[in-house]
Amino acid sequence: MNYTEARKYIQEKEKLGSVMGLDSIRELLKRMGNPEKNTPAVHIAGTNGKGSIMAYVEETFVKTGMTVGRYISPTIYDYRERWRKNKEWASEEDVARAITAVSKRVDAMVADGLPSPTAFEIETAVAFWLFDDWKCDIMLIECGMGGRMDATNVLEGDVLNVLAPISMDHMSILGKTLEDITREKLGIVRDKTVLVTAPQEDEVMREIMKYAVEHKVKVVQADTEELIVNEESYHSASFTYKGEDYDISMGGKYQIENAITAIEVLKYFKDVCEDYIYMGLLTTVWDGRFSVVHKDPMVIIDGAHNEKAWISLRASLEKYFTNERFIFIMGVFRDKEYPKMIETLSPLIEKVYTVASDNPRSIPAEELASIFEESGVKAAPIDTVEHAIETAMEEAEENKAIVKQAERKKTGDLLGKADKIVICGTLSITGDALRYFKN
Protein backbone atom coordinates (compact mmCIF):
# COMPACT_ATOMS: atom_id res chain seq x y z
CA MET A 1 0.00 0.00 0.00
CA ASN A 2 1.03 3.58 -0.58
CA TYR A 3 0.07 6.26 1.98
CA THR A 4 -3.28 7.08 0.35
CA GLU A 5 -4.23 3.40 0.24
CA ALA A 6 -3.14 2.96 3.87
CA ARG A 7 -5.38 5.82 4.96
CA LYS A 8 -8.33 4.34 3.09
CA TYR A 9 -7.67 1.00 4.76
CA ILE A 10 -7.83 2.60 8.22
CA GLN A 11 -10.94 4.59 7.30
CA GLU A 12 -12.69 1.36 6.42
CA LYS A 13 -11.67 -0.16 9.75
CA GLU A 14 -12.99 2.93 11.56
CA LYS A 15 -16.48 1.76 10.60
CA LEU A 16 -16.02 -1.07 13.13
CA GLY A 17 -16.19 1.48 15.95
CA SER A 18 -14.64 0.75 19.36
CA VAL A 19 -14.55 -2.70 20.89
CA MET A 20 -13.44 -2.97 24.51
CA GLY A 21 -11.11 -5.85 25.34
CA LEU A 22 -7.59 -7.07 24.67
CA ASP A 23 -8.05 -10.44 22.93
CA SER A 24 -7.89 -9.01 19.43
CA ILE A 25 -4.84 -6.77 19.92
CA ARG A 26 -2.98 -9.56 21.72
CA GLU A 27 -3.64 -12.00 18.89
CA LEU A 28 -2.54 -9.41 16.35
CA LEU A 29 0.69 -8.62 18.18
CA LYS A 30 1.42 -12.33 18.64
CA ARG A 31 1.19 -12.83 14.87
CA MET A 32 3.57 -9.87 14.46
CA GLY A 33 6.17 -11.41 16.76
CA ASN A 34 5.27 -9.22 19.75
CA PRO A 35 7.26 -6.07 18.85
CA GLU A 36 5.93 -4.37 22.00
CA LYS A 37 8.30 -6.54 24.04
CA ASN A 38 11.45 -5.23 22.40
CA THR A 39 11.60 -1.69 23.81
CA PRO A 40 11.33 -0.26 27.35
CA ALA A 41 8.22 1.86 27.82
CA VAL A 42 6.61 4.63 29.80
CA HIS A 43 2.86 3.97 29.82
CA ILE A 44 0.50 6.74 30.91
CA ALA A 45 -3.22 6.77 31.72
CA GLY A 46 -5.35 9.54 33.20
CA THR A 47 -7.99 12.10 32.30
CA ASN A 48 -6.18 15.41 31.82
CA GLY A 49 -2.53 16.23 31.31
CA LYS A 50 -1.27 13.03 29.66
CA GLY A 51 -0.04 14.91 26.62
CA SER A 52 1.74 17.65 28.55
CA ILE A 53 3.44 15.26 30.99
CA MET A 54 4.71 13.11 28.16
CA ALA A 55 5.81 16.18 26.18
CA TYR A 56 8.12 17.16 29.06
CA VAL A 57 9.44 13.60 29.24
CA GLU A 58 9.87 13.33 25.48
CA GLU A 59 11.75 16.64 25.20
CA THR A 60 14.12 15.66 28.00
CA PHE A 61 14.84 12.16 26.68
CA VAL A 62 15.59 13.57 23.22
CA LYS A 63 18.05 16.03 24.77
CA THR A 64 19.96 13.13 26.33
CA GLY A 65 20.54 11.67 22.86
CA MET A 66 18.07 8.80 23.17
CA THR A 67 15.94 7.67 20.23
CA VAL A 68 12.39 8.24 21.49
CA GLY A 69 9.17 6.88 20.03
CA ARG A 70 5.86 8.40 21.10
CA TYR A 71 2.30 7.27 20.39
CA ILE A 72 -0.59 9.69 20.92
CA SER A 73 -4.26 10.00 20.02
CA PRO A 74 -6.27 11.90 19.05
CA THR A 75 -4.14 14.22 16.93
CA ILE A 76 -4.50 17.89 16.06
CA TYR A 77 -2.68 18.63 12.83
CA ASP A 78 -2.20 15.45 10.84
CA TYR A 79 -2.88 11.72 10.92
CA ARG A 80 0.86 10.96 10.98
CA GLU A 81 1.19 12.88 14.25
CA ARG A 82 0.13 9.70 16.09
CA TRP A 83 3.61 8.24 15.73
CA ARG A 84 6.64 10.37 16.53
CA LYS A 85 10.37 9.71 16.48
CA ASN A 86 12.37 12.30 18.37
CA LYS A 87 9.40 14.71 18.11
CA GLU A 88 9.11 14.31 14.32
CA TRP A 89 5.97 12.81 12.80
CA ALA A 90 6.26 9.50 11.02
CA SER A 91 6.77 9.96 7.29
CA GLU A 92 4.09 8.92 4.82
CA GLU A 93 6.42 6.14 3.67
CA ASP A 94 6.88 4.83 7.23
CA VAL A 95 3.15 4.86 7.90
CA ALA A 96 2.41 3.08 4.64
CA ARG A 97 5.06 0.41 5.34
CA ALA A 98 3.81 -0.17 8.88
CA ILE A 99 0.12 -0.35 8.00
CA THR A 100 0.92 -2.69 5.12
CA ALA A 101 2.85 -4.99 7.46
CA VAL A 102 0.13 -4.97 10.11
CA SER A 103 -2.71 -5.37 7.61
CA LYS A 104 -1.31 -8.71 6.42
CA ARG A 105 -1.73 -10.11 9.93
CA VAL A 106 -5.17 -8.52 10.24
CA ASP A 107 -6.28 -10.12 6.99
CA ALA A 108 -4.93 -13.48 8.18
CA MET A 109 -6.94 -13.17 11.40
CA VAL A 110 -10.12 -12.49 9.43
CA ALA A 111 -9.36 -15.39 7.10
CA ASP A 112 -9.08 -17.62 10.17
CA GLY A 113 -12.56 -16.61 11.26
CA LEU A 114 -11.50 -14.13 13.95
CA PRO A 115 -12.97 -10.63 14.32
CA SER A 116 -11.00 -7.87 12.63
CA PRO A 117 -9.05 -5.61 14.97
CA THR A 118 -10.45 -2.07 15.13
CA ALA A 119 -8.75 1.00 13.67
CA PHE A 120 -7.33 1.97 17.08
CA GLU A 121 -6.00 -1.53 17.66
CA ILE A 122 -4.32 -1.50 14.26
CA GLU A 123 -2.83 1.96 14.93
CA THR A 124 -1.53 0.73 18.28
CA ALA A 125 0.10 -2.26 16.60
CA VAL A 126 1.57 0.13 14.02
CA ALA A 127 3.14 2.11 16.88
CA PHE A 128 4.91 -0.96 18.26
CA TRP A 129 6.00 -2.02 14.75
CA LEU A 130 7.44 1.44 14.01
CA PHE A 131 9.24 1.83 17.34
CA ASP A 132 10.86 -1.56 16.83
CA ASP A 133 11.75 -0.70 13.24
CA TRP A 134 13.21 2.65 14.32
CA LYS A 135 15.25 0.88 17.03
CA CYS A 136 13.95 3.25 19.70
CA ASP A 137 15.69 3.32 23.07
CA ILE A 138 12.35 3.99 24.77
CA MET A 139 8.71 4.36 23.78
CA LEU A 140 6.14 6.69 25.35
CA ILE A 141 2.66 5.18 25.12
CA GLU A 142 -0.53 7.09 25.95
CA CYS A 143 -3.79 5.27 26.69
CA GLY A 144 -6.61 6.21 24.40
CA MET A 145 -9.38 5.81 26.98
CA GLY A 146 -9.46 4.24 30.39
CA GLY A 147 -6.64 1.79 30.91
CA ARG A 148 -7.67 -1.74 31.82
CA MET A 149 -9.35 -2.46 28.47
CA ASP A 150 -7.42 0.05 26.36
CA ALA A 151 -5.60 -1.46 23.38
CA THR A 152 -2.29 -0.09 24.67
CA ASN A 153 -2.58 -2.25 27.80
CA VAL A 154 -0.48 -5.09 26.43
CA LEU A 155 2.87 -3.95 27.83
CA GLU A 156 4.78 -6.30 30.09
CA GLY A 157 8.26 -6.30 31.61
CA ASP A 158 10.29 -3.09 31.43
CA VAL A 159 7.50 -0.56 31.88
CA LEU A 160 7.14 2.52 34.07
CA ASN A 161 3.45 3.24 34.84
CA VAL A 162 2.23 6.83 35.10
CA LEU A 163 -1.13 8.29 36.12
CA ALA A 164 -2.00 11.82 35.04
CA PRO A 165 -4.72 13.64 37.02
CA ILE A 166 -7.94 11.61 37.06
CA SER A 167 -11.37 13.24 36.93
CA MET A 168 -14.89 12.61 35.66
CA ASP A 169 -15.00 11.80 31.94
CA HIS A 170 -16.36 9.03 29.70
CA MET A 171 -18.62 7.98 32.58
CA SER A 172 -20.85 5.84 30.33
CA ILE A 173 -17.86 3.58 29.69
CA LEU A 174 -15.47 3.96 32.63
CA GLY A 175 -17.86 4.32 35.56
CA LYS A 176 -20.09 6.81 37.35
CA THR A 177 -17.74 7.67 40.23
CA LEU A 178 -14.14 8.81 40.60
CA GLU A 179 -13.38 5.54 42.36
CA ASP A 180 -14.74 3.48 39.45
CA ILE A 181 -12.82 5.52 36.89
CA THR A 182 -9.62 5.27 38.94
CA ARG A 183 -9.88 1.50 39.09
CA GLU A 184 -10.19 1.38 35.30
CA LYS A 185 -7.13 3.62 34.88
CA LEU A 186 -5.14 1.51 37.35
CA GLY A 187 -5.65 -1.46 35.06
CA ILE A 188 -2.36 -0.57 33.31
CA VAL A 189 -0.35 -1.15 36.51
CA ARG A 190 1.17 -4.63 36.84
CA ASP A 191 2.01 -6.34 40.13
CA LYS A 192 5.33 -5.44 41.79
CA THR A 193 6.00 -2.47 39.48
CA VAL A 194 6.49 1.27 40.03
CA LEU A 195 3.73 3.81 39.57
CA VAL A 196 4.37 7.56 39.27
CA THR A 197 1.23 9.59 39.88
CA ALA A 198 0.37 13.24 39.48
CA PRO A 199 -1.26 15.05 42.41
CA GLN A 200 -4.73 13.53 42.73
CA GLU A 201 -8.07 14.08 44.45
CA ASP A 202 -8.39 12.34 47.85
CA GLU A 203 -10.86 9.75 46.51
CA VAL A 204 -8.46 8.90 43.68
CA MET A 205 -5.43 8.66 45.96
CA ARG A 206 -7.24 6.30 48.31
CA GLU A 207 -7.96 3.93 45.42
CA ILE A 208 -4.37 4.15 44.23
CA MET A 209 -2.96 3.28 47.65
CA LYS A 210 -5.45 0.45 48.12
CA TYR A 211 -4.44 -0.99 44.75
CA ALA A 212 -0.74 -0.53 45.58
CA VAL A 213 -1.03 -2.56 48.78
CA GLU A 214 -2.98 -5.36 47.09
CA HIS A 215 -0.59 -5.58 44.13
CA LYS A 216 2.71 -4.70 45.83
CA VAL A 217 3.17 -1.57 43.73
CA LYS A 218 5.64 1.16 44.70
CA VAL A 219 3.92 4.54 44.42
CA VAL A 220 5.83 7.75 43.74
CA GLN A 221 3.57 10.80 43.96
CA ALA A 222 4.41 14.26 42.71
CA ASP A 223 4.35 16.17 46.00
CA THR A 224 2.86 19.66 45.96
CA GLU A 225 4.09 20.19 49.54
CA GLU A 226 7.61 20.15 48.10
CA LEU A 227 6.63 22.76 45.49
CA ILE A 228 7.26 26.52 45.70
CA VAL A 229 5.96 28.63 42.82
CA ASN A 230 8.33 31.57 42.40
CA GLU A 231 6.79 33.29 39.38
CA GLU A 232 3.87 32.51 37.11
CA SER A 233 2.30 34.07 34.02
CA TYR A 234 0.07 33.05 31.14
CA HIS A 235 3.09 31.93 29.10
CA SER A 236 5.65 30.59 31.59
CA ALA A 237 6.46 29.77 35.21
CA SER A 238 9.44 29.42 37.55
CA PHE A 239 9.28 27.10 40.54
CA THR A 240 11.35 25.18 43.05
CA TYR A 241 10.68 21.48 43.54
CA LYS A 242 12.46 19.43 46.18
CA GLY A 243 15.16 22.09 46.40
CA GLU A 244 15.85 22.33 42.63
CA ASP A 245 14.88 25.35 40.50
CA TYR A 246 13.01 24.87 37.22
CA ASP A 247 11.48 27.01 34.47
CA ILE A 248 8.75 26.04 32.01
CA SER A 249 7.60 27.82 28.88
CA MET A 250 3.93 26.90 29.03
CA GLY A 251 1.08 28.73 30.74
CA GLY A 252 -1.84 27.44 32.76
CA LYS A 253 -1.90 26.75 36.48
CA TYR A 254 -2.08 23.01 35.87
CA GLN A 255 1.18 22.94 33.89
CA ILE A 256 3.31 23.25 36.99
CA GLU A 257 1.78 20.10 38.45
CA ASN A 258 2.23 18.35 35.10
CA ALA A 259 5.88 19.42 35.17
CA ILE A 260 6.60 18.04 38.65
CA THR A 261 4.96 14.77 37.62
CA ALA A 262 7.29 14.64 34.63
CA ILE A 263 10.24 15.33 36.95
CA GLU A 264 9.32 12.28 39.04
CA VAL A 265 9.10 10.19 35.87
CA LEU A 266 12.49 11.40 34.67
CA LYS A 267 14.18 10.83 38.03
CA TYR A 268 13.19 7.17 37.81
CA PHE A 269 15.76 6.91 35.00
CA LYS A 270 19.10 7.25 36.75
CA ASP A 271 21.00 8.20 33.59
CA VAL A 272 18.94 11.40 33.12
CA CYS A 273 20.88 14.08 34.99
CA GLU A 274 19.44 17.25 36.52
CA ASP A 275 20.79 19.51 33.75
CA TYR A 276 18.88 17.57 31.10
CA ILE A 277 15.69 17.75 33.17
CA TYR A 278 16.03 21.51 33.58
CA MET A 279 16.63 22.11 29.86
CA GLY A 280 13.93 19.64 28.84
CA LEU A 281 11.26 21.35 30.91
CA LEU A 282 12.38 24.81 29.78
CA THR A 283 12.09 24.07 26.07
CA THR A 284 8.94 21.91 26.05
CA VAL A 285 6.01 23.21 23.99
CA TRP A 286 2.67 21.38 23.65
CA ASP A 287 0.13 23.13 21.44
CA GLY A 288 -3.44 23.61 22.54
CA ARG A 289 -2.75 23.69 26.29
CA PHE A 290 -3.39 27.30 27.31
CA SER A 291 -1.57 28.33 24.15
CA VAL A 292 -1.42 32.03 23.28
CA VAL A 293 -1.53 31.84 19.48
CA HIS A 294 -2.16 35.53 18.71
CA LYS A 295 -1.23 38.58 20.78
CA ASP A 296 -3.21 41.50 19.36
CA PRO A 297 -5.97 40.71 19.99
CA MET A 298 -4.92 37.98 22.41
CA VAL A 299 -6.24 34.54 21.48
CA ILE A 300 -5.87 31.62 23.90
CA ILE A 301 -6.54 28.04 22.81
CA ASP A 302 -7.08 25.43 25.50
CA GLY A 303 -8.04 21.79 25.04
CA ALA A 304 -10.41 21.84 28.05
CA HIS A 305 -13.19 19.33 27.31
CA ASN A 306 -14.33 18.01 30.72
CA GLU A 307 -15.34 19.43 34.09
CA LYS A 308 -11.92 19.37 35.77
CA ALA A 309 -10.29 20.96 32.73
CA TRP A 310 -12.95 23.70 32.57
CA ILE A 311 -12.36 24.46 36.25
CA SER A 312 -8.60 24.66 35.64
CA LEU A 313 -9.13 26.91 32.62
CA ARG A 314 -11.29 29.29 34.64
CA ALA A 315 -8.73 29.35 37.47
CA SER A 316 -5.95 30.23 35.02
CA LEU A 317 -7.95 33.00 33.35
CA GLU A 318 -8.94 34.51 36.69
CA LYS A 319 -5.35 34.41 37.93
CA TYR A 320 -3.68 35.92 34.88
CA PHE A 321 -6.45 38.33 33.83
CA THR A 322 -8.14 39.43 37.05
CA ASN A 323 -11.68 40.85 36.70
CA GLU A 324 -11.67 40.53 32.91
CA ARG A 325 -14.30 38.92 30.72
CA PHE A 326 -13.71 37.18 27.42
CA ILE A 327 -15.14 36.40 24.03
CA PHE A 328 -15.37 32.61 23.79
CA ILE A 329 -15.51 30.29 20.80
CA MET A 330 -16.85 26.93 21.89
CA GLY A 331 -18.10 23.62 20.60
CA VAL A 332 -18.89 20.55 22.66
CA PHE A 333 -19.91 16.91 22.29
CA ARG A 334 -23.37 15.87 23.45
CA ASP A 335 -21.97 13.11 25.67
CA LYS A 336 -19.91 15.62 27.68
CA GLU A 337 -21.20 17.38 30.80
CA TYR A 338 -21.77 20.62 28.93
CA PRO A 339 -24.18 22.08 31.54
CA LYS A 340 -21.23 22.08 33.95
CA MET A 341 -19.08 23.72 31.28
CA ILE A 342 -21.62 26.51 30.95
CA GLU A 343 -21.98 26.85 34.72
CA THR A 344 -18.21 26.97 35.23
CA LEU A 345 -17.25 29.39 32.47
CA SER A 346 -20.33 31.64 32.18
CA PRO A 347 -19.10 34.21 34.75
CA LEU A 348 -16.13 34.94 32.46
CA ILE A 349 -18.06 35.14 29.18
CA GLU A 350 -19.05 38.44 27.61
CA LYS A 351 -20.20 36.64 24.47
CA VAL A 352 -19.80 33.15 23.03
CA TYR A 353 -19.70 32.11 19.40
CA THR A 354 -20.82 28.49 19.14
CA VAL A 355 -19.52 26.10 16.50
CA ALA A 356 -19.83 22.40 15.70
CA SER A 357 -17.32 19.97 14.25
CA ASP A 358 -18.06 17.29 11.67
CA ASN A 359 -18.19 14.68 14.44
CA PRO A 360 -21.75 13.31 14.80
CA ARG A 361 -21.40 13.66 18.60
CA SER A 362 -21.19 17.46 18.29
CA ILE A 363 -24.10 19.59 19.49
CA PRO A 364 -25.27 21.75 16.55
CA ALA A 365 -24.09 25.35 16.87
CA GLU A 366 -27.64 26.72 16.91
CA GLU A 367 -28.71 24.37 19.69
CA LEU A 368 -25.63 25.15 21.80
CA ALA A 369 -26.21 28.89 21.35
CA SER A 370 -29.79 28.48 22.57
CA ILE A 371 -28.58 26.60 25.66
CA PHE A 372 -26.17 29.43 26.46
CA GLU A 373 -28.92 32.05 25.92
CA GLU A 374 -31.22 30.17 28.30
CA SER A 375 -28.44 30.41 30.90
CA GLY A 376 -28.25 34.19 30.46
CA VAL A 377 -25.14 34.22 28.25
CA LYS A 378 -25.11 36.21 25.01
CA ALA A 379 -24.45 33.69 22.22
CA ALA A 380 -24.42 33.44 18.44
CA PRO A 381 -23.98 30.35 16.23
CA ILE A 382 -21.29 30.47 13.53
CA ASP A 383 -20.93 28.04 10.62
CA THR A 384 -17.17 27.38 10.83
CA VAL A 385 -14.32 27.79 13.30
CA GLU A 386 -12.50 30.01 10.81
CA HIS A 387 -15.50 32.32 10.48
CA ALA A 388 -15.94 32.37 14.28
CA ILE A 389 -12.30 33.38 14.78
CA GLU A 390 -12.48 36.19 12.23
CA THR A 391 -15.75 37.48 13.71
CA ALA A 392 -14.47 37.32 17.29
CA MET A 393 -11.21 39.06 16.38
CA GLU A 394 -13.10 41.90 14.72
CA GLU A 395 -15.27 42.28 17.82
CA ALA A 396 -12.25 42.19 20.11
CA GLU A 397 -10.59 44.96 18.10
CA GLU A 398 -13.74 47.09 18.28
CA ASN A 399 -14.01 46.52 22.03
CA LYS A 400 -10.38 47.44 22.49
CA ALA A 401 -10.96 50.74 20.70
CA ILE A 402 -14.03 51.47 22.85
CA VAL A 403 -12.10 50.75 26.05
CA LYS A 404 -9.22 53.02 25.00
CA GLN A 405 -11.60 55.84 24.16
CA ALA A 406 -13.40 55.47 27.50
CA GLU A 407 -10.10 55.40 29.36
CA ARG A 408 -8.99 58.61 27.64
CA LYS A 409 -12.24 60.33 28.54
CA LYS A 410 -12.29 58.75 32.01
CA THR A 411 -15.90 57.89 31.48
CA GLY A 412 -18.10 55.04 30.37
CA ASP A 413 -18.91 51.58 31.62
CA LEU A 414 -16.13 49.24 30.49
CA LEU A 415 -17.78 46.06 31.77
CA GLY A 416 -18.44 43.62 28.98
CA LYS A 417 -15.90 45.06 26.57
CA ALA A 418 -13.72 42.01 26.23
CA ASP A 419 -10.64 42.28 24.04
CA LYS A 420 -9.35 38.71 24.54
CA ILE A 421 -10.60 35.49 22.96
CA VAL A 422 -10.65 31.97 24.40
CA ILE A 423 -11.26 28.88 22.25
CA CYS A 424 -12.13 25.59 23.96
CA GLY A 425 -14.69 22.77 24.23
CA THR A 426 -13.43 19.85 22.15
CA LEU A 427 -10.08 18.87 20.68
CA SER A 428 -11.60 18.93 17.20
CA ILE A 429 -12.57 22.59 17.60
CA THR A 430 -9.24 23.59 19.14
CA GLY A 431 -7.46 21.60 16.45
CA ASP A 432 -9.25 23.57 13.72
CA ALA A 433 -8.30 26.79 15.50
CA LEU A 434 -4.64 25.80 15.85
CA ARG A 435 -4.45 24.91 12.17
CA TYR A 436 -6.02 28.27 11.26
CA PHE A 437 -3.34 30.20 13.14
CA LYS A 438 -0.51 27.94 11.95
CA ASN A 439 -1.53 28.71 8.38
Side-chain angles (χ1 to χ4, degrees):
M1 284 186 276
N2 59 31
Y3 181 70
T4 300
E5 291 167 338
R7 287 291 291 116
K8 288 181 179 177
Y9 177 84
I10 292 295
Q11 288 163 2
E12 283 298 311
K13 294 299 183 182
E14 286 173 349
K15 297 176 182 178
L16 299 173
S18 298
V19 179
M20 302 302 285
L22 301 176
D23 291 345
S24 190
I25 182 69
R26 282 176 173 155
E27 177 65 22
L28 175 58
L29 291 171
K30 179 181 176 182
R31 291 173 182 240
M32 292 168 56
N34 292 112
E36 78 283 2
K37 295 183 178 181
N38 297 337
T39 309
V42 178
H43 193 198
I44 188 167
T47 308
N48 298 308
K50 296 194 298 290
S52 296
I53 292 168
M54 292 302 246
Y56 289 123
V57 173
E58 178 187 35
E59 182 80 19
T60 304
F61 280 156
V62 170
K63 279 186 163 40
T64 70
M66 298 169 69
T67 301
V68 185
R70 183 176 176 188
Y71 176 48
I72 63 173
S73 70
T75 59
I76 293 176
Y77 297 112
D78 190 277
Y79 181 71
R80 296 179 293 121
E81 191 181 349
R82 282 165 169 74
W83 309 280
R84 291 159 58 114
K85 176 186 176 184
N86 290 354
K87 304 192 301 176
E88 297 291 331
W89 301 349
S91 67
E92 291 188 358
E93 292 76 14
D94 278 342
V95 173
R97 283 194 307 117
I99 292 178
T100 298
V102 174
S103 69
K104 292 177 181 178
R105 278 73 172 191
V106 171
D107 294 345
M109 287 175 62
V110 174
D112 289 343
L114 297 173
S116 172
T118 64
F120 182 65
E121 289 169 333
I122 293 169
E123 289 163 348
T124 301
V126 164
F128 296 133
W129 189 95
L130 281 172
F131 300 155
D132 189 42
D133 184 68
W134 291 339
K135 295 180 171 54
C136 291
D137 297 307
I138 196 160
M139 53 186 181
L140 311 180
I141 307 296
E142 299 179 26
C143 285
M145 183 192 301
R148 184 175 62 91
M149 289 291 129
D150 189 81
T152 64
N153 194 24
V154 291
L155 297 167
E156 304 284 351
D158 195 359
V159 182
L160 176 64
N161 314 290
V162 184
L163 283 183
I166 294 173
S167 58
M168 303 297 288
D169 202 5
H170 300 296
M171 284 85 78
S172 61
I173 298 172
L174 302 181
K176 301 297 185 183
T177 67
L178 266 181
E179 290 85 352
D180 289 340
I181 293 171
T182 301
R183 286 190 286 271
E184 286 295 316
K185 306 283 187 182
L186 282 166
I188 71 168
V189 184
R190 303 293 187 261
D191 291 1
K192 299 179 181 179
T193 56
V194 177
L195 168 64
V196 175
T197 178
Q200 303 283 3
E201 300 287 345
D202 290 344
E203 306 97 300
V204 173
M205 206 61 215
R206 282 194 293 270
E207 286 298 320
I208 291 173
M209 296 313 297
K210 178 181 175 183
Y211 186 94
V213 170
E214 292 173 352
H215 296 269
K216 299 180 180 179
V217 172
K218 179 182 177 182
V219 176
V220 178
Q221 184 178 19
D223 188 355
T224 54
E225 293 187 2
E226 296 273 2
L227 171 67
I228 301 171
V229 178
N230 303 315
E231 190 175 347
E232 186 182 353
S233 73
Y234 63 83
H235 56 72
S236 62
S238 299
F239 61 91
T240 303
Y241 183 61
K242 294 186 175 179
E244 298 285 348
D245 295 330
Y246 301 95
D247 297 287
I248 59 175
S249 302
M250 293 198 286
K253 289 177 64 62
Y254 52 85
Q255 282 298 357
I256 297 175
E257 293 191 358
N258 288 337
I260 66 173
T261 305
I263 290 169
E264 295 293 357
V265 171
L266 292 162
K267 285 184 177 295
Y268 173 83
F269 297 89
K270 305 303 182 185
D271 293 337
V272 181
C273 71
E274 191 62 44
D275 288 346
Y276 285 129
I277 296 175
Y278 176 83
M279 289 305 300
L281 266 59
L282 176 65
T283 55
T284 297
V285 176
W286 192 234
D287 289 346
R289 279 66 177 179
F290 210 84
S291 300
V292 178
V293 296
H294 198 272
K295 291 190 175 179
D296 191 16
M298 181 177 287
V299 181
I300 298 167
I301 298 179
D302 193 272
H305 60 283
N306 55 49
E307 182 182 6
K308 181 69 179 293
W310 296 321
I311 292 170
S312 295
L313 172 59
R314 175 175 172 173
S316 295
L317 292 172
E318 289 179 329
K319 180 176 180 63
Y320 305 139
F321 310 103
T322 307
N323 296 327
E324 291 195 44
R325 286 157 65 87
F326 303 84
I327 300 169
F328 274 73
I329 298 172
M330 301 176 75
V332 68
F333 289 161
R334 194 175 296 280
D335 57 359
K336 296 292 183 177
E337 293 188 297
Y338 58 87
K340 290 185 177 179
M341 174 189 74
I342 296 172
E343 178 185 352
T344 300
L345 296 176
S346 288
L348 302 182
I349 300 176
E350 176 202 331
K351 183 175 182 179
V352 58
Y353 291 102
T354 58
V355 291
S357 71
D358 293 334
N359 193 303
R361 295 159 57 202
S362 290
I363 298 179
E366 294 79 6
E367 181 182 343
L368 185 58
S370 296
I371 295 170
F372 269 106
E373 291 277 2
E374 290 169 3
S375 300
V377 179
K378 188 177 180 182
I382 299 283
D383 54 348
T384 66
V385 173
E386 178 180 347
H387 187 194
I389 291 171
E390 292 169 352
T391 304
M393 290 180 75
E394 288 178 7
E395 182 173 344
E397 291 286 7
E398 292 171 1
N399 287 348
K400 188 175 181 180
I402 293 170
V403 169
K404 285 185 176 180
Q405 183 178 23
E407 287 175 343
R408 283 197 301 270
K409 294 181 178 181
K410 295 182 170 35
T411 184
D413 181 7
L414 306 187
L415 183 65
K417 295 303 177 186
D419 63 355
K420 297 179 179 64
I421 300 163
V422 178
I423 305 174
C424 68
T426 70
L427 293 179
S428 55
I429 297 301
T430 55
D432 287 346
L434 284 165
R435 286 189 291 274
Y436 172 87
F437 285 101
K438 285 284 186 183
N439 293 333

